Amino acid sequence: MATSASSKLNKAVKQQYMSLPQGEKVQAMYIWIDGSGEGLRCKTRTLDSEPKTIEDLPEWNFDGSSTYQSEGSNSDMYLIPAAMFRDPFRKDPNKLVLCEVLKYNRKPAETNLRYTCKKIMNMVENNHSWFGMEQEYTILGTDGHPFGWPSNGFPGPQGPYYCGVGADKAYGRDIVEAHYRACLYAGVQIYGSNAEVMPAQWEFQIGPCEGIDMGDHLWVARFILHRVCEDFGVVVSFDPKPIPGNWNGAGCHTNFSTKEMREDGGLKVIEESIEKLAKRHRYHIRAYDPKGGLDNARRLTGRHETSSIDEFSAGVANRGASIRIPRSVGQDKKGYFEDRRPSANCDPYAVTEALVRTCLLKEEGEEPANYSK
């Protein structure tokens, strides 16, 4: 198994230094999304005291020419603190700080999808939109080979791995457990985890989160997973189809409800929302992966518990549909629905914004409406 050289360093030696007192100073790790729309970057600064609110955190900057976000001749980009979490790696009082990125002219960077998402969420705050996102991922060696798979060949076919237990079924549980506990420490709204259908594939769920919090918590959970994998010397992949052939892909199923859907008779509101989504399938497919649907085309084939990328479908308890209404929701006549189309590498800000635009703002057509006028 190809692991990184850094994972072989003696962690006990590192702990000798990490246990040193740091006085009144605080380390704040600033985190942002780079120009790929998928990669995360980070750097640390020292603060003189522990920040209590987001307003206590200073703006910062970075070289955008090294993150696919600007030209070298005009490379400074601004980091605007947006959400703050406890740091599970350096521990209290240190912080993780999720940031928005602004360009030199103070306009949002192209991959700063939080900027518009927050405006849209503010427009519908009285609806109390709740989201839950099920993040699937695959653990790889540094050579790109799935963790625990034979070096020359494949493990046994899918079947025993989903929610499996045992060394021959669950590949990499140490990483999953470390990530779960780190998220709880950080204050991330993690809901659960399980082994997935393909060996070395896992899932964690974030939610329920209201409005903009959904994107904030999922991005920080992803960052923490990258860091945990770094310590173990392996790599996490959010590719929606990491292994071609007869293996399940990786999605980010998104559960959505409003106050009205959760109340008695809410099933009618859910069905009305699904009708709106049916008329806007292509818009949502474009919003549901960073490459405008090209990544999802490898996953949404109509096989391996997916719907076809070319067709919209909905059904109760149907995991092969675009939209699934859970059986309990069909029985209770209220609750939520699950959009099974978002890819594992989707931007949660784009996904949640698209759902709100179509279901609550009742937008139609191929392009999002512009409310800035």
Side-chain angles (χ1 to χ4, degrees):
M1 169 51 39
T3 55
S4 71
S6 62
S7 69
K8 299 178 178 67
L9 297 174
N10 189 327
K11 303 304 181 188
V13 174
K14 175 191 172 189
Q15 194 53 43
Q16 176 183 333
Y17 298 100
M18 296 304 289
S19 60
L20 292 171
Q22 59 188 73
E24 298 297 314
K25 304 291 187 180
V26 171
Q27 288 174 286
M29 179 171 277
Y30 281 48
I31 303 161
W32 70 96
I33 301 157
D34 70 17
S36 70
E38 300 178 62
L40 285 161
R41 307 292 180 117
C42 61
K43 63 176 187 171
T44 301
R45 69 180 295 163
T46 303
L47 305 177
D48 291 332
S49 59
E50 182 179 358
K52 302 300 183 186
T53 68
I54 204 74
E55 287 75 27
D56 295 336
L57 293 158
E59 289 186 14
W60 207 9
N61 56 63
F62 68 95
D63 169 19
S65 68
S66 299
T67 61
Y68 321 119
Q69 288 173 295
S70 70
E71 298 294 327
S73 59
N74 191 11
S75 66
D76 278 1
M77 311 280 285
Y78 295 103
L79 290 172
I80 312 300
M84 182 170 65
F85 297 81
R86 296 168 74 195
D87 187 336
F89 306 102
R90 293 163 171 157
K91 300 182 182 173
D92 289 337
N94 305 299
K95 304 297 181 187
L96 301 179
V97 182
L98 182 67
C99 299
E100 286 193 30
V101 176
L102 301 184
K103 296 188 283 191
Y104 70 94
N105 56 7
R106 308 289 294 185
K107 292 185 177 178
E110 282 70 20
T111 51
N112 177 4
L113 304 188
R114 187 184 192 276
Y115 186 84
T116 307
C117 182
K118 192 168 192 299
K119 287 185 175 180
I120 295 299
M121 293 301 171
N122 287 341
M123 289 173 65
V124 298
E125 60 184 349
N126 292 336
N127 294 89
H128 298 288
S129 300
W130 289 4
F131 301 94
M133 298 185 79
E134 305 169 20
Q135 176 69 70
E136 295 177 338
Y137 62 93
T138 309
I139 302 172
L140 308 174
T142 53
D143 57 358
H145 196 67
F147 181 82
W149 285 34
S151 55
N152 298 312
F154 297 92
Q158 296 181 159
Y161 308 107
Y162 172 71
C163 295
V165 61
D168 58 341
K169 300 179 185 71
Y171 299 11
R173 193 185 298 274
D174 285 358
I175 292 162
V176 175
E177 293 296 338
H179 173 251
Y180 203 135
R181 189 61 60 90
C183 283
L184 289 174
Y185 181 93
V188 169
Q189 193 75 13
I190 189 167
Y191 186 84
S193 72
N194 58 272
E196 264 304 330
V197 177
M198 187 179 83
Q201 191 183 74
W202 294 80
E203 173 182 301
F204 64 87
Q205 302 95 33
I206 300 293
C209 293
E210 186 166 333
I212 198 68
D213 287 348
M214 183 65 250
D216 292 348
H217 282 246
L218 184 55
W219 273 115
V220 171
R222 286 174 174 176
F223 173 83
I224 291 172
L225 183 56
H226 281 299
R227 270 290 287 107
V228 167
C229 285
E230 180 184 323
D231 282 345
F232 281 97
V234 295
V235 176
V236 58
S237 170
F238 296 113
D239 189 278
K241 189 71 174 178
I243 307 298
N246 197 25
W247 302 97
N248 271 36
C252 193
H253 303 154
T254 301
N255 303 286
F256 174 58
S257 71
T258 62
K259 185 172 182 289
E260 206 176 359
M261 292 178 192
R262 298 187 292 271
E263 293 173 344
D264 288 343
L267 182 60
K268 183 174 182 291
V269 184
I270 290 172
E271 289 170 342
E272 289 170 353
S273 291
I274 291 172
E275 286 178 17
K276 297 185 184 86
L277 290 167
K279 297 173 184 173
R280 223 176 180 212
H281 180 60
R282 286 174 59 186
Y283 163 73
H284 282 265
I285 288 296
R286 288 207 318 275
Y288 284 3
D289 81 50
K291 297 182 180 66
L294 292 177
D295 275 345
N296 243 341
R298 294 183 284 122
R299 167 180 160 259
L300 295 180
T301 60
R303 299 179 64 220
H304 305 108
E305 298 185 70
T306 70
S307 58
S308 167
I309 195 169
D310 299 316
E311 298 175 8
F312 180 88
S313 57
V316 175
N318 183 356
R319 294 182 185 277
S322 308
I323 305 292
R324 179 181 72 93
I325 299 176
R327 191 170 300 284
S328 60
V329 173
Q331 292 168 347
D332 297 341
K333 309 295 185 198
K334 62 180 178 180
Y336 67 96
F337 67 82
E338 176 191 52
D339 193 333
R340 296 178 62 80
R341 295 171 293 175
S343 67
N345 62 343
C346 70
D347 189 317
Y349 298 128
V351 173
T352 55
E353 179 185 325
L355 283 166
V356 165
R357 282 178 177 274
T358 300
C359 298
L360 298 181
L361 297 178
K362 302 176 183 177
E363 291 183 19
E364 297 177 350
E366 296 286 313
E367 299 298 328
N370 185 354
Y371 299 101
S372 61
K373 296 174 183 176

